[in-house]
Amino acid sequence: MQTNGCSQHNGTTEAFDSHSIRNPPSTSNGEVATNGAMGDQNNKNLSRTDQDIVRLIGQHLRGLGFNQTAEQLIAESGCALEHPTAAKFRIHVMEGEWDKTEEDLQEMESLVKGGKSDIIKMKFLLLEQKYLELLEDGIPLKALDCLRHELTPLKYNTERVHVLSTYMMCSSAAELRESSHWDGKGPTSRQKLIENLQEFLPPSIMLPPRRLFTLLSQAVEQQKEKCPYHNTQLDSDLSSISLLMDHICTKDQFPNVTTQVLDHQDEVWHCQFSPDGTRLATGSKDNKLIIWEVDTVHFEVKNPRMLDEHKFGVGYVTWCPDNIHILVCGPDETNEVFIYNTVTGEVRQRIHQNTDDSLTYAAWMPDGRKLVVGGVRGQFYYCDIDGNVIDSWEGIRVQGLAALDDKVALAADTHNRIRGYNFDTLQDFPIIQEDHPIMTFVIDDKKESILVNVASQGSHLWDLKDKVLLRKFHGQTQAFFTIYSCFGGLNQDYVASGSEDHKVFIWHKRRETPVAVLEGHRMTVNCVHWNPTEPSMLASASDDATVRIWGPKHRLEKRRKNSSTSSGRSSPV
């Protein structure tokens, strides 16, 4: 049976006493002290869901300052927004009547989730506010009395009590607010206090703050999660979207067209944007490493700068976290790694240990001062930026590298597995095991997921913490060639990979089938990399001697308008 003015909580019915709040007292600002009134003649016999909706609307109207409208809604529906004692408690907190709040707590003891223990916690929060306000008002003796005879006897959170005692030394209200990280006496700090206190009360007694707004935000976020093309930060809050229709992004807003073509003189084996997204490095079989400037405002890659001191084909590049230095590796027979300063164009260091080495993979540690290099002949070195070998691991045939933190690197090997190597303890440990050879892998920025390219199997997504396979992505072709995939897009919600059928495949991390297949290259796509600061820009490198920049359709149209005479191609000078 449903009763107006009550709601279900944990399977029990908590009834509001309609007679006790029929003629409630008014506050100084004209608000009704009990947040509503009921009249038997207005009993609509509403369902529990309808009652909840009325309460949510009433709370939102009050938040907007439409108090009379809210009161009319409450009176007509017969639904009180809150339990009468909770409503009275809220008013006493907002008016700073601390003695009355203590009486309210005694009345609400049976309503509080955790009973007496939570009552003590609530009382502590109230007395803390009282103490700080007394200090701000310049009444230190009363504040000291509150500290000694009210807060301390609670025997709760003694460390916080000690911190509070230090505020007695503050010479001004401004210093008090700064030291305590407190908003000062007034409605702002008191509203925050109420929000903290509400954690101890069930929502059937006192609604959580801005509850309707929270529910709407959750609904929109769920719609975004289901949207396969949601890749923009422009609608990051409710104020930027309409609640009158479901959220949807079209494919035209997603990177799906070529906006620019960059030329090399031979197969392009690798490409990578700098961490700040302002530059793009492309490496080719033509022995050229080219650093391009990236203009994210005009969506243009320009001003190529050629670096070719290394004299070998560029098979792999990786930017330092400092956005200045870059590691350059060659094909299998290459026995050295170059570190370029991309600002000056000079070689910072050459890492070379043995003529028999094969150093084809590298990774920077997060501090940007150390790195790991390795290759399929069993070399695995831990070095500093000046080329000094700090430590090494023998016999690890490295198929790919990534840094987990400043001491631990992940390496794929020829046993179809990825293991972790701790250069502090010199211990290794298993991460994942595949059934087929691992060609390449990459970890996401949060160090939560690993994207693995597996020979003849495509791209696999693993959970790094739980070491479980999450997804096998369908569509791409990879049998013979090394292909580098990536995470990217807004919040790195997407993964992208090249393919031997000349296409670029993009998947949402929660979908096994591609959300976009990009066509334009004429030969195998060896590498795809997403701009880390521009979610709608990605680059792909191909054996057709080109790098394609991909973006939304409107970006291409805008570039055409800005440069009607441009062919859309760029070549190094």
Side-chain angles (χ1 to χ4, degrees):
M1 180 178 70
Q2 300 292 341
T3 305
N4 286 341
C6 69
S7 56
Q8 301 290 331
H9 178 67
N10 294 333
T12 62
T13 301
E14 295 158 333
F16 299 172
D17 182 357
S18 63
H19 298 288
S20 66
I21 58 176
R22 182 169 297 165
N23 296 300
S26 298
T27 65
S28 58
N29 61 6
E31 291 190 22
V32 178
T34 57
N35 286 339
M38 296 185 203
D40 293 337
Q41 70 276 16
N42 291 325
N43 191 321
K44 304 295 183 183
N45 195 28
L46 300 176
S47 68
R48 185 184 69 179
T49 300
D50 287 336
Q51 291 181 52
D52 289 346
I53 293 172
V54 169
R55 294 178 68 197
L56 292 172
I57 294 173
Q59 182 195 43
H60 193 68
L61 289 172
R62 282 192 178 280
L64 295 174
F66 301 146
N67 294 318
Q68 291 184 354
T69 305
E71 291 305 329
Q72 185 174 352
L73 173 66
I74 293 166
E76 187 173 353
S77 66
C79 294
L81 293 189
E82 297 174 330
H83 189 283
T85 304
K88 183 173 58 173
F89 177 61
R90 179 191 295 275
I91 292 170
H92 290 158
V93 171
M94 291 302 297
E95 294 184 350
E97 298 184 35
W98 309 117
D99 292 339
K100 292 182 179 180
T101 61
E102 187 169 353
E103 297 174 3
D104 297 334
L105 283 181
Q106 293 176 358
E107 292 183 36
M108 290 193 299
E109 184 173 332
S110 61
L111 306 175
V112 174
K113 297 176 184 177
K116 289 185 178 180
S117 62
D118 279 356
I119 288 291
I120 292 174
K121 296 175 184 177
M122 295 175 73
K123 189 173 182 179
F124 185 91
L125 293 174
L126 290 164
L127 291 174
E128 180 182 33
Q129 178 80 11
K130 175 183 176 180
Y131 168 76
L132 292 172
E133 291 192 8
L134 288 171
L135 283 180
E136 186 180 68
D137 286 339
I139 316 175
L141 292 179
K142 287 189 176 181
L144 182 61
D145 184 71
C146 175
L147 188 70
R148 286 179 173 176
H149 301 111
E150 294 183 271
L151 275 166
T152 302
L154 290 178
K155 297 180 180 179
Y156 172 75
N157 202 350
T158 54
E159 290 185 7
R160 178 59 178 166
V161 173
H162 291 154
V163 173
L164 291 173
S165 66
T166 63
Y167 300 149
M168 296 287 294
M169 306 302 294
C170 294
S171 59
S172 66
E175 184 182 349
L176 171 65
R177 290 192 293 270
E178 182 178 358
S179 300
S180 60
H181 305 289
W182 178 58
D183 294 310
K185 180 180 179 179
T188 301
S189 65
R190 290 174 180 176
Q191 181 59 40
K192 288 182 179 179
L193 172 61
I194 287 176
E195 292 176 7
N196 290 331
L197 292 167
Q198 283 177 314
E199 295 181 7
F200 302 97
L201 294 169
S204 57
I205 302 302
M206 179 182 283
L207 287 174
R210 304 182 74 198
R211 181 57 182 164
L212 180 60
F213 185 90
T214 299
L215 289 173
L216 292 173
S217 297
Q218 291 172 349
V220 171
E221 285 303 314
Q222 188 177 44
Q223 290 177 20
K224 288 179 183 178
E225 289 181 4
K226 292 182 178 180
C227 176
Y229 303 114
H230 183 71
N231 192 42
T232 176
Q233 295 174 318
L234 298 178
D235 53 359
S236 57
D237 55 51
L238 289 184
S239 62
S240 61
I241 63 173
S242 172
L243 295 174
L244 304 181
M245 62 185 71
D246 286 348
H247 169 87
I248 187 169
C249 296
T250 67
K251 195 173 182 178
D252 288 341
Q253 299 167 302
F254 198 74
N256 63 92
V257 297
T258 299
T259 61
Q260 195 173 358
V261 179
L262 314 177
D263 288 324
H264 270 268
Q265 296 173 342
D266 209 329
E267 298 172 1
V268 189
W269 289 339
H270 205 260
C271 64
Q272 190 177 90
F273 287 99
S274 59
D276 62 5
T278 62
R279 285 182 293 172
L280 171 67
T282 61
S284 169
K285 185 180 179 181
D286 62 13
N287 294 5
K288 302 294 189 298
L289 169 67
I290 302 176
I291 306 298
W292 309 77
E293 293 181 9
V294 179
D295 183 348
T296 55
V297 175
H298 298 97
F299 215 83
E300 184 178 10
V301 178
K302 56 187 180 181
N303 300 333
R305 182 176 188 176
M306 192 179 303
L307 307 178
D308 56 2
E309 291 293 323
H310 48 274
K311 306 304 180 186
F312 53 72
V314 179
Y316 184 83
V317 299
T318 181
W319 285 89
C320 180
D322 66 9
N323 295 290
I324 296 175
H325 296 93
I326 193 168
L327 285 167
V328 182
C329 302
D332 288 347
E333 66 273 10
T334 309
N335 58 17
E336 59 185 352
V337 173
F338 273 59
I339 302 178
Y340 279 101
N341 182 318
T342 59
V343 175
T344 65
E346 298 174 348
V347 176
R348 164 70 184 261
Q349 193 57 248
R350 291 172 58 189
I351 300 174
H352 174 81
Q353 288 298 306
N354 193 302
T355 55
D356 294 330
D357 284 354
S358 171
L359 303 180
T360 51
Y361 298 98
W364 292 96
M365 309 309 273
D367 63 5
R369 304 299 301 173
K370 299 180 183 65
L371 53 115
V372 286
V373 296
V376 293
R377 294 180 186 171
Q379 291 78 35
F380 189 7
Y381 302 124
Y382 178 47
C383 315
D384 63 24
I385 196 171
D386 295 319
N388 302 308
V389 175
I390 302 171
D391 221 321
S392 64
W393 225 287
E394 297 295 332
I396 309 299
R397 297 181 180 272
V398 174
Q399 293 283 96
L401 287 169
L404 193 59
D405 56 42
D406 286 329
K407 293 294 184 181
V408 177
L410 305 186
D413 59 30
T414 51
H415 298 287
N416 309 341
R417 63 188 182 182
I418 295 176
R419 296 182 66 82
Y421 296 87
N422 189 316
F423 284 94
D424 193 21
T425 63
L426 296 181
Q427 294 179 326
D428 62 310
F429 51 92
I431 299 294
I432 66 171
Q433 178 73 55
E434 285 279 4
D435 295 328
H436 296 80
I438 294 174
M439 309 294 282
T440 62
F441 76 96
V442 63
I443 59 177
D444 68 347
D445 290 344
K446 295 180 180 178
K447 314 295 192 224
E448 295 176 348
S449 304
I450 307 180
L451 181 63
V452 185
N453 276 41
V454 185
S456 304
Q457 302 297 305
S459 298
H460 294 175
L461 182 67
W462 287 78
D463 183 285
L464 182 55
K465 180 180 178 181
D466 295 331
K467 301 178 178 59
V468 295
L469 179 62
L470 299 176
R471 204 91 60 232
K472 291 184 178 181
F473 299 111
H474 303 314
Q476 76 178 120
T477 302
Q478 180 180 1
F480 305 105
F481 299 108
T482 299
I483 293 175
Y484 295 92
S485 301
C486 70
F487 291 93
L490 185 65
N491 301 320
Q492 292 199 316
D493 284 338
Y494 298 90
V495 298
S497 180
S499 178
E500 292 178 13
D501 62 2
H502 317 165
K503 300 173 184 177
V504 174
F505 288 81
I506 301 176
W507 301 268
H508 196 287
K509 287 195 300 187
R510 288 184 289 273
R511 297 168 179 256
E512 294 186 349
T513 56
V515 298
V517 179
L518 312 183
E519 300 187 38
H521 285 294
R522 302 185 308 277
M523 299 180 71
T524 295
V525 180
N526 299 310
C527 180
V528 178
H529 198 254
W530 220 299
N531 190 312
T533 61
E534 174 49 70
S536 60
M537 176 185 283
L538 63 148
S540 59
S542 171
D543 281 348
D544 64 12
T546 69
V547 174
R548 285 180 175 261
I549 306 300
W550 305 86
K553 186 177 180 181
H554 71 89
R555 288 288 196 175
L556 176 60
E557 294 171 349
K558 187 174 181 179
R559 286 199 69 228
R560 285 174 174 170
K561 290 179 181 178
N562 292 340
S563 180
S564 58
T565 60
S566 173
S567 65
R569 299 187 75 91
S570 298
S571 299
V573 293

